[in-house]
Amino acid sequence: MLEESRPSTKVSVSEVTVEVLDLNDEVPTFRQSYKGSVKENVPPGTPVLVHPSISAVDNDSGNNSVVHYSLGGSGSELFAISENGAVVFSPQEPHAVLDRERKEKYDLYVTATDLGNLSSSTYLTITVEDENDNAPVFQHGPLFVLLPETSKPGTKVIQVIAHDADAKGINSEIEYYITSGSKNDIRIDRIT
């Protein structure tokens, strides 16, 4: 048997690198909604405590994954959000204040937008926490009472009523005291 001769094959190898370019096709997304809180009467620049921190994920790469945040909804002009998702009380009007007795909650939405204008939104609820900034107010003017001289000790003379505009809890609890004029002849119940 004769072997056939084959022509020798020459091979050349070259390495080729293929780079897949990222298209901006992923929408930045939030994994949850957020809740934050801030005390009333704080100065501008005060951070809103938001836990966990606001963050959107964009699965694109490079510049296509850069996300910018913005706030919307009624009251959003009182707050600002930074590129890292931090929220601060930053009113557009210099004399604006947070007053819990006027508005105790702001229902806003956060929008994350990437450089290709793809965006999504989630909710941010900011609760304004109460401070003891309101004095109790009597529900009546000065009172004049005629007390018969034959009244027995312990006789109820009158009941005074005051209300406090602060939130329910320790900031709105009221105690009553006689501050002058009784000479220990008249007593008042501290609570009622």
Side-chain angles (χ1 to χ4, degrees):
M1 208 160 131
L2 288 175
E3 286 187 27
E4 292 181 29
S5 95
R6 293 187 190 174
S8 70
T9 307
K10 299 195 184 219
V11 176
S12 175
V13 177
S14 176
E15 187 174 307
V16 176
T17 303
V18 176
E19 185 177 335
V20 178
L21 296 177
D22 182 47
L23 292 176
N24 191 5
D25 59 347
E26 296 289 331
V27 176
T29 57
F30 293 98
R31 293 195 170 114
Q32 64 190 51
S33 58
Y34 297 92
K35 292 184 182 203
S37 63
V38 64
K39 286 195 176 288
E40 67 178 329
N41 302 316
V42 296
T46 300
V48 175
L49 301 175
V50 180
H51 186 74
S53 298
I54 294 174
S55 180
V57 175
D58 189 320
N59 289 322
D60 286 313
S61 63
N63 285 341
N64 289 337
S65 67
V66 175
V67 174
H68 298 283
Y69 299 105
S70 61
L71 295 173
S74 178
S76 62
E77 69 281 357
L78 296 172
F79 302 94
I81 187 166
S82 66
E83 296 304 314
N84 67 1
V87 178
V88 295
F89 172 59
S90 181
Q92 293 173 0
E93 292 184 25
H95 300 294
V97 295
L98 294 173
D99 184 355
R100 196 222 57 85
E101 287 74 37
R102 283 182 164 159
K103 187 166 177 94
E104 63 184 273
K105 184 171 68 163
Y106 292 88
D107 292 315
L108 308 178
Y109 57 88
V110 181
T111 301
T113 306
D114 67 15
L115 294 180
N117 283 331
L118 297 176
S119 66
S120 69
S121 297
T122 191
Y123 294 101
L124 168 62
T125 300
I126 298 175
T127 302
V128 179
E129 295 178 345
D130 189 48
E131 284 201 334
N132 194 4
D133 61 342
N134 290 291
V137 176
F138 282 100
Q139 300 302 301
H140 46 74
L143 300 170
F144 182 77
V145 177
L146 295 173
L147 182 64
E149 67 180 340
T150 58
S151 297
K152 297 185 184 228
T155 300
K156 182 176 179 181
V157 176
I158 195 166
Q159 183 168 1
V160 294
I161 298 174
H163 290 285
D164 191 314
D166 287 312
K168 291 180 181 175
I170 195 164
N171 290 339
S172 66
E173 291 177 6
I174 297 173
E175 291 186 2
Y176 299 93
Y177 297 94
I178 296 176
T179 57
S180 66
S182 79
K183 299 182 185 175
N184 294 326
D185 295 331
I186 304 289
R187 291 181 303 123
I188 190 167
D189 184 279
R190 274 184 344 157
I191 307 301
T192 64

